[in-house]
Amino acid sequence: MLNRVRSAVAHLVSSGGAPPPRPKSPDLPNAPSAQSAAPPGAPRSPPARAGSGSAAPAKTVEARASFSRPTFLQLSPGGLRRADDHAGRAVQSPPDTGRRLPWSTGYAEVINAGKSRHNEDQACCEVVYVEGRRSVSGAPREPSGGQGLCFYYWGLFDGHAGGGAAEMASKLLHRHIQEQLKDLVEILQDASPPPLCLPSTPGAPGSSDSSHLVGPQSCWSSQKEVTHESLVVGAIENAFQFMDEQMAQERRGHQAEGGCCALVVVYLLGKVYVANAGDSRAIIVRNGEIIPMSQEFTPETERQRLQLLGFLKPELLGGEFTHLEFPRRIQPKELGQRMLYRDQNMTGWAYKKIELEDLRFPLVCGEGKKARVMATIGVTRGLGDHNLKVCSSTLPIKPFLSCFPEVRVYDLTQYEHCPDDVLVLGTDGLWDVTSDCEVAATVDRVLSAYEPNDPSRYTALAQALVLGARGTPRDRSWRLPNNKLGSGDDISVFVIPLGGPGSYS
């Protein structure tokens, strides 16, 4: 009995590894080059460059994927080579000519200083139209213009151990979100509370009378209140899981090697949904005030979840790791002594007698940017990593990694925004060397130098943030004005204006 209870609880806290059986997502996106359908007249992101999705032999596809950059940058072959230059580290932004990104969004990126062969960050900015799959009455919806929903979408994907997962997520995650919203189109446009159940098609499995299964009503004295907002949050969460499952299915084709952190923004029906799985970050700077819109998920911030899973399912530790944490690695000569430790239930520290099992390597070790799970990976949530193993071992790490994001919601209609109010998204290459307050100061400094109706001001701000984190070359390294080391990581930044004429019309 105890083992069954442990297994059940372990599944709840894991959020990773093999998920429970679930309905297959209809029309699973499987063509990265396909474009999301949009209603006539709806704004669109710039079209893909010719040949970006053309078929090629396997080796050619891998080579091209390695150099792939976001389509909206519209890079020429020469521009692509400059973007891939570790020595020059030229900042890349969309061209100042032609159609701008939705909401006049600003974007800038720069490659790392040699940390990996290519830039493993990816980005996506789309306007996606959702046609309803069915009406609340259960009858299929007749395709017709004007009855669907349109959402704006921004995504940053910070890849590791290869760029395949980040590239795949940048091309498909918004389509998974679109798919999850299809059942909600009519519900979200109806002011009444969401229905408890969607009616089944007559004759379909589950449509038969199940009244004999209803238990005593005393257990259900009232119905939980479910909001439209929570339905959108659930759709985004499900989309992340389906994206991760698709990566698991296609990892053997080398299309989704490695893994990636994912930071996504969805604007729908007046609200901004920020979903984060990883160590990227989003903040709103509004009238000088900083509003955090995400939490980083690292071995330190999720220590107790990881330790609880290791405690409940010790077989995942493979006899090589201990779920307990100690201030440092224990030496064999310290057996029998009392040393500081903490387990899955503790936020503080206590003393325990050192036993033989405590000599194993800790599940969570290190601190700050050097914190690791199983001495291998420094993030605890994201997409992919299905092939990730402990170094020199066959022990998988994926069961400890969760694909589920934390979703925060910001209601744009509750505040009158000015053109200087922005949502800043950045991969960890920005935040490793730049604080929230420094970003807010840069927002004020750069935007005040431009006219409020100048759409290029947000691209200039994104470029300033990237340049400020990169630094300048000096003494064979990249240095900040205070002579501290600049970021040697890939840096990608979106600046999304929350106010101003035409920003979200």
Side-chain angles (χ1 to χ4, degrees), residues 89 108-112 115 121 156 158 263 279-283 285 296 369 423-440 442-443 461-471 480 485-495:
R89 299 189 76 191
E109 69 171 39
V110 72
I111 194 172
N112 61 79
K115 175 182 176 182
D121 283 2
L156 287 181
D158 184 354
L263 175 61
D279 59 358
S280 297
R281 188 186 306 175
I283 64 170
V285 181
E296 285 100 293
K369 292 299 291 184
L423 171 59
V424 179
L425 315 180
T427 55
D428 65 330
L430 171 69
W431 307 106
D432 286 348
V433 297
T434 313
S435 68
D436 293 357
C437 291
E438 289 170 329
V439 167
T442 303
V443 169
L461 173 54
Q463 292 171 340
L465 291 171
V466 170
L467 285 169
R470 184 202 68 177
L480 303 179
L485 284 174
S487 175
D489 200 356
D490 301 314
I491 310 171
S492 301
V493 173
F494 270 126
V495 175

Side-chain angles (χ1 to χ4, degrees), residues 182-206:
K182 285 183 177 180
D183 282 329
L184 306 179
V185 168
E186 185 175 336
I187 297 172
L188 294 176
Q189 296 179 94
D190 187 347
S192 58
L196 183 63
C197 297
L198 292 178
S200 301
T201 304

Side-chain angles (χ1 to χ4, degrees), residues 129-149 182 185-186 189:
Y129 181 70
V130 186
E131 183 71 52
R133 188 175 7 248
R134 67 196 302 168
S135 66
V136 173
S137 64
R141 179 187 298 277
E142 293 294 329
S144 58
Q147 291 187 352
L149 291 174
K182 285 183 177 180
V185 168
E186 185 175 336
Q189 296 179 94

Side-chain angles (χ1 to χ4, degrees), residues 238-260:
N238 267 345
F240 269 69
Q241 183 169 3
F242 281 121
M243 182 74 255
D244 193 61
E245 290 174 357
Q246 184 174 0
M247 288 181 175
Q249 295 167 8
E250 301 185 15
R251 67 185 186 275
R252 293 180 180 176
H254 303 289
Q255 299 181 37
E257 79 274 12
C260 68

Side-chain angles (χ1 to χ4, degrees), residues 151-313:
F151 70 85
Y152 292 79
Y153 172 90
W154 300 261
L156 287 181
F157 306 92
D158 184 354
H160 49 258
E167 184 176 2
M168 186 176 184
S170 71
K171 293 179 178 179
L172 293 179
L173 182 55
H174 59 287
R175 297 182 63 201
H176 280 284
I177 296 175
Q178 177 192 42
E179 190 66 37
Q180 293 302 309
L181 289 174
K182 285 183 177 180
D183 282 329
L184 306 179
V185 168
E186 185 175 336
I187 297 172
L188 294 176
Q189 296 179 94
D190 187 347
S192 58
L196 183 63
C197 297
L198 292 178
S200 301
T201 304
S207 62
S208 58
D209 180 25
S210 58
S211 58
H212 62 284
L213 300 177
V214 178
Q217 294 301 311
S218 59
C219 297
W220 303 94
S221 56
S222 62
Q223 180 178 315
K224 286 186 176 180
E225 179 182 355
V226 177
T227 64
H228 292 82
E229 178 182 297
S230 66
L231 291 180
V232 178
V233 171
I236 295 172
E237 291 170 333
N238 267 345
F240 269 69
Q241 183 169 3
F242 281 121
M243 182 74 255
D244 193 61
E245 290 174 357
Q246 184 174 0
M247 288 181 175
Q249 295 167 8
E250 301 185 15
R251 67 185 186 275
R252 293 180 180 176
H254 303 289
Q255 299 181 37
E257 79 274 12
C260 68
C261 301
L263 175 61
V264 162
V265 173
V266 171
Y267 170 77
L268 177 64
L269 298 176
K271 294 183 178 181
V272 172
Y273 299 81
V274 181
N276 186 45
D279 59 358
S280 297
R281 188 186 306 175
I283 64 170
I284 285 176
V285 181
R286 187 184 70 188
N287 195 27
E289 176 189 6
I290 298 170
I291 304 173
M293 290 301 297
S294 67
Q295 171 195 344
E296 285 100 293
F297 294 98
T298 68
E300 286 188 306
T301 62
E302 291 214 283
R303 173 187 62 83
Q304 288 179 280
R305 178 183 73 82
L306 298 169
Q307 287 182 313
L308 180 57
L309 179 57
F311 169 72
L312 294 171
K313 302 192 75 172

Side-chain angles (χ1 to χ4, degrees), residues 36-49:
S36 303
R44 294 295 302 268
S45 297
R49 296 181 62 84

